[in-house]
PDB file of all heavy atoms in Angstrom:
ATOM      1  N   SER A1271      15.167  -9.464  -9.200  1.00  0.00           N
ATOM      2  CA  SER A1271      15.517  -8.139  -9.755  1.00  0.00           C
ATOM      3  C   SER A1271      14.470  -7.109  -9.557  1.00  0.00           C
ATOM      4  O   SER A1271      14.802  -5.940  -9.753  1.00  0.00           O
ATOM      5  CB  SER A1271      15.763  -8.388 -11.226  1.00  0.00           C
ATOM      6  OG  SER A1271      14.608  -8.780 -11.887  1.00  0.00           O
ATOM      7  N   GLU A1272      13.296  -7.500  -9.129  1.00  0.00           N
ATOM      8  CA  GLU A1272      12.227  -6.468  -8.936  1.00  0.00           C
ATOM      9  C   GLU A1272      11.791  -6.370  -7.475  1.00  0.00           C
ATOM     10  O   GLU A1272      10.986  -5.552  -7.150  1.00  0.00           O
ATOM     11  CB  GLU A1272      11.019  -6.824  -9.780  1.00  0.00           C
ATOM     12  CG  GLU A1272      11.231  -6.693 -11.233  1.00  0.00           C
ATOM     13  CD  GLU A1272       9.878  -6.905 -11.952  1.00  0.00           C
ATOM     14  OE1 GLU A1272       9.541  -8.146 -12.201  1.00  0.00           O
ATOM     15  OE2 GLU A1272       9.199  -5.930 -12.284  1.00  0.00           O
ATOM     16  N   LEU A1293      12.953   1.698  -7.055  1.00  0.00           N
ATOM     17  CA  LEU A1293      12.743   2.151  -8.424  1.00  0.00           C
ATOM     18  C   LEU A1293      13.968   1.887  -9.301  1.00  0.00           C
ATOM     19  O   LEU A1293      13.837   1.427 -10.473  1.00  0.00           O
ATOM     20  CB  LEU A1293      12.510   3.668  -8.437  1.00  0.00           C
ATOM     21  CG  LEU A1293      12.409   4.328  -9.808  1.00  0.00           C
ATOM     22  CD1 LEU A1293      11.261   3.738 -10.608  1.00  0.00           C
ATOM     23  CD2 LEU A1293      12.177   5.839  -9.645  1.00  0.00           C
ATOM     24  N   THR A1294      15.176   2.007  -8.752  1.00  0.00           N
ATOM     25  CA  THR A1294      16.370   1.675  -9.475  1.00  0.00           C
ATOM     26  C   THR A1294      16.396   0.166  -9.949  1.00  0.00           C
ATOM     27  O   THR A1294      16.676  -0.090 -11.117  1.00  0.00           O
ATOM     28  CB  THR A1294      17.624   1.967  -8.661  1.00  0.00           C
ATOM     29  OG1 THR A1294      17.602   3.298  -8.330  1.00  0.00           O
ATOM     30  CG2 THR A1294      18.930   1.565  -9.405  1.00  0.00           C
ATOM     31  N   GLN A1295      15.997  -0.731  -9.018  1.00  0.00           N
ATOM     32  CA  GLN A1295      15.889  -2.123  -9.429  1.00  0.00           C
ATOM     33  C   GLN A1295      14.905  -2.330 -10.567  1.00  0.00           C
ATOM     34  O   GLN A1295      15.156  -3.067 -11.479  1.00  0.00           O
ATOM     35  CB  GLN A1295      15.474  -3.011  -8.267  1.00  0.00           C
ATOM     36  CG  GLN A1295      16.550  -3.223  -7.221  1.00  0.00           C
ATOM     37  CD  GLN A1295      15.979  -3.881  -5.992  1.00  0.00           C
ATOM     38  OE1 GLN A1295      14.969  -3.519  -5.436  1.00  0.00           O
ATOM     39  NE2 GLN A1295      16.706  -4.892  -5.576  1.00  0.00           N
ATOM     40  N   ARG A1296      13.687  -1.692 -10.420  1.00  0.00           N
ATOM     41  CA  ARG A1296      12.675  -1.813 -11.471  1.00  0.00           C
ATOM     42  C   ARG A1296      13.168  -1.327 -12.829  1.00  0.00           C
ATOM     43  O   ARG A1296      12.945  -1.933 -13.863  1.00  0.00           O
ATOM     44  CB  ARG A1296      11.448  -1.055 -11.017  1.00  0.00           C
ATOM     45  CG  ARG A1296      10.264  -1.061 -11.966  1.00  0.00           C
ATOM     46  CD  ARG A1296       9.610  -2.452 -12.192  1.00  0.00           C
ATOM     47  NE  ARG A1296       9.170  -3.092 -10.987  1.00  0.00           N
ATOM     48  CZ  ARG A1296       8.030  -2.938 -10.382  1.00  0.00           C
ATOM     49  NH1 ARG A1296       7.111  -2.141 -10.918  1.00  0.00           N
ATOM     50  NH2 ARG A1296       7.753  -3.592  -9.233  1.00  0.00           N
ATOM     51  N   LEU A1297      13.814  -0.148 -12.811  1.00  0.00           N
ATOM     52  CA  LEU A1297      14.311   0.394 -14.099  1.00  0.00           C
ATOM     53  C   LEU A1297      15.385  -0.507 -14.760  1.00  0.00           C
ATOM     54  O   LEU A1297      15.313  -0.723 -15.974  1.00  0.00           O
ATOM     55  CB  LEU A1297      14.930   1.795 -13.879  1.00  0.00           C
ATOM     56  CG  LEU A1297      13.952   2.902 -13.436  1.00  0.00           C
ATOM     57  CD1 LEU A1297      14.708   4.178 -13.179  1.00  0.00           C
ATOM     58  CD2 LEU A1297      12.854   3.079 -14.411  1.00  0.00           C
ATOM     59  N   GLU A1298      16.245  -1.072 -13.944  1.00  0.00           N
ATOM     60  CA  GLU A1298      17.269  -2.011 -14.491  1.00  0.00           C
ATOM     61  C   GLU A1298      16.572  -3.210 -15.041  1.00  0.00           C
ATOM     62  O   GLU A1298      16.995  -3.742 -16.134  1.00  0.00           O
ATOM     63  CB  GLU A1298      18.291  -2.351 -13.413  1.00  0.00           C
ATOM     64  CG  GLU A1298      19.228  -1.269 -13.042  1.00  0.00           C
ATOM     65  CD  GLU A1298      20.009  -0.701 -14.302  1.00  0.00           C
ATOM     66  OE1 GLU A1298      20.528  -1.509 -15.074  1.00  0.00           O
ATOM     67  OE2 GLU A1298      20.098   0.517 -14.395  1.00  0.00           O
ATOM     68  N   HIS A1299      15.580  -3.716 -14.384  1.00  0.00           N
ATOM     69  CA  HIS A1299      14.825  -4.898 -14.834  1.00  0.00           C
ATOM     70  C   HIS A1299      14.161  -4.606 -16.155  1.00  0.00           C
ATOM     71  O   HIS A1299      14.187  -5.420 -17.063  1.00  0.00           O
ATOM     72  CB  HIS A1299      13.842  -5.410 -13.769  1.00  0.00           C
ATOM     73  CG  HIS A1299      13.064  -6.498 -14.221  1.00  0.00           C
ATOM     74  ND1 HIS A1299      13.469  -7.784 -14.273  1.00  0.00           N
ATOM     75  CD2 HIS A1299      11.750  -6.553 -14.671  1.00  0.00           C
ATOM     76  CE1 HIS A1299      12.544  -8.579 -14.708  1.00  0.00           C
ATOM     77  NE2 HIS A1299      11.466  -7.881 -14.946  1.00  0.00           N
ATOM     78  N   LEU A1300      13.501  -3.489 -16.242  1.00  0.00           N
ATOM     79  CA  LEU A1300      12.820  -3.090 -17.481  1.00  0.00           C
ATOM     80  C   LEU A1300      13.785  -2.894 -18.641  1.00  0.00           C
ATOM     81  O   LEU A1300      13.437  -3.346 -19.779  1.00  0.00           O
ATOM     82  CB  LEU A1300      12.031  -1.789 -17.269  1.00  0.00           C
ATOM     83  CG  LEU A1300      10.822  -1.893 -16.361  1.00  0.00           C
ATOM     84  CD1 LEU A1300      10.229  -0.488 -16.065  1.00  0.00           C
ATOM     85  CD2 LEU A1300       9.764  -2.816 -17.004  1.00  0.00           C
ATOM     86  N   LYS A1301      14.977  -2.384 -18.407  1.00  0.00           N
ATOM     87  CA  LYS A1301      15.968  -2.207 -19.489  1.00  0.00           C
ATOM     88  C   LYS A1301      16.319  -3.587 -20.010  1.00  0.00           C
ATOM     89  O   LYS A1301      16.512  -3.796 -21.253  1.00  0.00           O
ATOM     90  CB  LYS A1301      17.167  -1.538 -18.982  1.00  0.00           C
ATOM     91  CG  LYS A1301      17.044  -0.056 -18.819  1.00  0.00           C
ATOM     92  CD  LYS A1301      18.350   0.506 -18.225  1.00  0.00           C
ATOM     93  CE  LYS A1301      18.183   1.886 -17.729  1.00  0.00           C
ATOM     94  NZ  LYS A1301      19.393   2.401 -17.111  1.00  0.00           N
ATOM     95  N   LYS A1302      16.511  -4.584 -19.166  1.00  0.00           N
ATOM     96  CA  LYS A1302      16.923  -5.911 -19.568  1.00  0.00           C
ATOM     97  C   LYS A1302      15.796  -6.688 -20.222  1.00  0.00           C
ATOM     98  O   LYS A1302      16.096  -7.401 -21.192  1.00  0.00           O
ATOM     99  CB  LYS A1302      17.415  -6.745 -18.353  1.00  0.00           C
ATOM    100  CG  LYS A1302      18.684  -6.249 -17.730  1.00  0.00           C
ATOM    101  CD  LYS A1302      19.003  -7.065 -16.536  1.00  0.00           C
ATOM    102  CE  LYS A1302      20.207  -6.404 -15.746  1.00  0.00           C
ATOM    103  NZ  LYS A1302      20.418  -7.087 -14.484  1.00  0.00           N
ATOM    104  N   THR A1303      14.608  -6.597 -19.736  1.00  0.00           N
ATOM    105  CA  THR A1303      13.502  -7.446 -20.218  1.00  0.00           C
ATOM    106  C   THR A1303      12.636  -6.837 -21.344  1.00  0.00           C
ATOM    107  O   THR A1303      11.926  -7.524 -22.011  1.00  0.00           O
ATOM    108  CB  THR A1303      12.607  -7.863 -19.038  1.00  0.00           C
ATOM    109  OG1 THR A1303      12.008  -6.637 -18.452  1.00  0.00           O
ATOM    110  CG2 THR A1303      13.349  -8.632 -17.996  1.00  0.00           C
ATOM    111  N   ASN A1304      12.710  -5.515 -21.528  1.00  0.00           N
ATOM    112  CA  ASN A1304      11.944  -4.797 -22.519  1.00  0.00           C
ATOM    113  C   ASN A1304      12.829  -3.866 -23.288  1.00  0.00           C
ATOM    114  O   ASN A1304      12.724  -2.654 -23.078  1.00  0.00           O
ATOM    115  CB  ASN A1304      10.775  -4.002 -21.832  1.00  0.00           C
ATOM    116  CG  ASN A1304       9.761  -4.927 -21.124  1.00  0.00           C
ATOM    117  OD1 ASN A1304       9.214  -5.824 -21.755  1.00  0.00           O
ATOM    118  ND2 ASN A1304       9.627  -4.718 -19.858  1.00  0.00           N
ATOM    119  N   PRO A1305      13.683  -4.370 -24.171  1.00  0.00           N
ATOM    120  CA  PRO A1305      14.636  -3.511 -24.861  1.00  0.00           C
ATOM    121  C   PRO A1305      14.063  -2.403 -25.702  1.00  0.00           C
ATOM    122  O   PRO A1305      14.721  -1.418 -25.978  1.00  0.00           O
ATOM    123  CB  PRO A1305      15.516  -4.488 -25.656  1.00  0.00           C
ATOM    124  CG  PRO A1305      14.769  -5.736 -25.725  1.00  0.00           C
ATOM    125  CD  PRO A1305      13.780  -5.785 -24.560  1.00  0.00           C
ATOM    126  N   THR A1306      12.772  -2.540 -26.139  1.00  0.00           N
ATOM    127  CA  THR A1306      12.141  -1.526 -26.933  1.00  0.00           C
ATOM    128  C   THR A1306      11.469  -0.456 -26.123  1.00  0.00           C
ATOM    129  O   THR A1306      11.047   0.560 -26.661  1.00  0.00           O
ATOM    130  CB  THR A1306      11.097  -2.165 -27.890  1.00  0.00           C
ATOM    131  OG1 THR A1306      10.064  -2.808 -27.110  1.00  0.00           O
ATOM    132  CG2 THR A1306      11.717  -3.160 -28.816  1.00  0.00           C
ATOM    133  N   LEU A1307      11.363  -0.652 -24.827  1.00  0.00           N
ATOM    134  CA  LEU A1307      10.766   0.293 -23.926  1.00  0.00           C
ATOM    135  C   LEU A1307      11.749   1.434 -23.612  1.00  0.00           C
ATOM    136  O   LEU A1307      12.933   1.180 -23.323  1.00  0.00           O
ATOM    137  CB  LEU A1307      10.340  -0.416 -22.624  1.00  0.00           C
ATOM    138  CG  LEU A1307       9.486   0.338 -21.697  1.00  0.00           C
ATOM    139  CD1 LEU A1307       8.103   0.626 -22.259  1.00  0.00           C
ATOM    140  CD2 LEU A1307       9.319  -0.545 -20.417  1.00  0.00           C
ATOM    141  N   LEU A1308      11.278   2.671 -23.761  1.00  0.00           N
ATOM    142  CA  LEU A1308      12.112   3.790 -23.371  1.00  0.00           C
ATOM    143  C   LEU A1308      12.196   3.901 -21.843  1.00  0.00           C
ATOM    144  O   LEU A1308      11.171   4.126 -21.199  1.00  0.00           O
ATOM    145  CB  LEU A1308      11.585   5.089 -24.023  1.00  0.00           C
ATOM    146  CG  LEU A1308      12.252   6.388 -23.565  1.00  0.00           C
ATOM    147  CD1 LEU A1308      13.725   6.398 -24.068  1.00  0.00           C
ATOM    148  CD2 LEU A1308      11.503   7.556 -24.072  1.00  0.00           C
ATOM    149  N   VAL A1309      13.387   3.744 -21.302  1.00  0.00           N
ATOM    150  CA  VAL A1309      13.565   3.782 -19.872  1.00  0.00           C
ATOM    151  C   VAL A1309      14.618   4.846 -19.545  1.00  0.00           C
ATOM    152  O   VAL A1309      15.782   4.675 -19.886  1.00  0.00           O
ATOM    153  CB  VAL A1309      13.990   2.437 -19.276  1.00  0.00           C
ATOM    154  CG1 VAL A1309      14.210   2.523 -17.783  1.00  0.00           C
ATOM    155  CG2 VAL A1309      12.980   1.312 -19.635  1.00  0.00           C
ATOM    156  N   LYS A1310      14.205   5.918 -18.940  1.00  0.00           N
ATOM    157  CA  LYS A1310      15.110   6.957 -18.502  1.00  0.00           C
ATOM    158  C   LYS A1310      15.623   6.675 -17.123  1.00  0.00           C
ATOM    159  O   LYS A1310      15.059   5.895 -16.368  1.00  0.00           O
ATOM    160  CB  LYS A1310      14.451   8.347 -18.479  1.00  0.00           C
ATOM    161  CG  LYS A1310      13.970   8.824 -19.874  1.00  0.00           C
ATOM    162  CD  LYS A1310      13.407  10.189 -19.777  1.00  0.00           C
ATOM    163  CE  LYS A1310      13.097  10.802 -21.103  1.00  0.00           C
ATOM    164  NZ  LYS A1310      12.590  12.172 -20.960  1.00  0.00           N
ATOM    165  N   GLU A1311      16.720   7.321 -16.764  1.00  0.00           N
ATOM    166  CA  GLU A1311      17.229   7.205 -15.412  1.00  0.00           C
ATOM    167  C   GLU A1311      16.323   8.019 -14.495  1.00  0.00           C
ATOM    168  O   GLU A1311      15.680   9.006 -14.868  1.00  0.00           O
ATOM    169  CB  GLU A1311      18.654   7.780 -15.280  1.00  0.00           C
ATOM    170  CG  GLU A1311      19.699   6.994 -16.077  1.00  0.00           C
ATOM    171  CD  GLU A1311      19.795   5.524 -15.651  1.00  0.00           C
ATOM    172  OE1 GLU A1311      19.786   5.263 -14.457  1.00  0.00           O
ATOM    173  OE2 GLU A1311      19.807   4.650 -16.549  1.00  0.00           O
ATOM    174  N   SER A1312      16.249   7.560 -13.179  1.00  0.00           N
ATOM    175  CA  SER A1312      15.485   8.293 -12.223  1.00  0.00           C
ATOM    176  C   SER A1312      16.108   9.600 -11.965  1.00  0.00           C
ATOM    177  O   SER A1312      17.308   9.809 -12.073  1.00  0.00           O
ATOM    178  CB  SER A1312      15.464   7.418 -10.901  1.00  0.00           C
ATOM    179  OG  SER A1312      14.876   8.171  -9.859  1.00  0.00           O
TER     180      SER A1312
END
Side-chain angles (χ1 to χ4, degrees):
S1271 60
E1272 292 186 277
L1293 177 58
T1294 300
Q1295 287 174 309
R1296 178 67 54 88
L1297 294 176
E1298 288 304 315
H1299 177 76
L1300 289 172
K1301 286 179 193 176
K1302 290 177 191 173
T1303 60
N1304 297 302
T1306 61
L1307 191 64
L1308 175 62
V1309 179
K1310 294 183 173 184
E1311 295 300 315
S1312 170

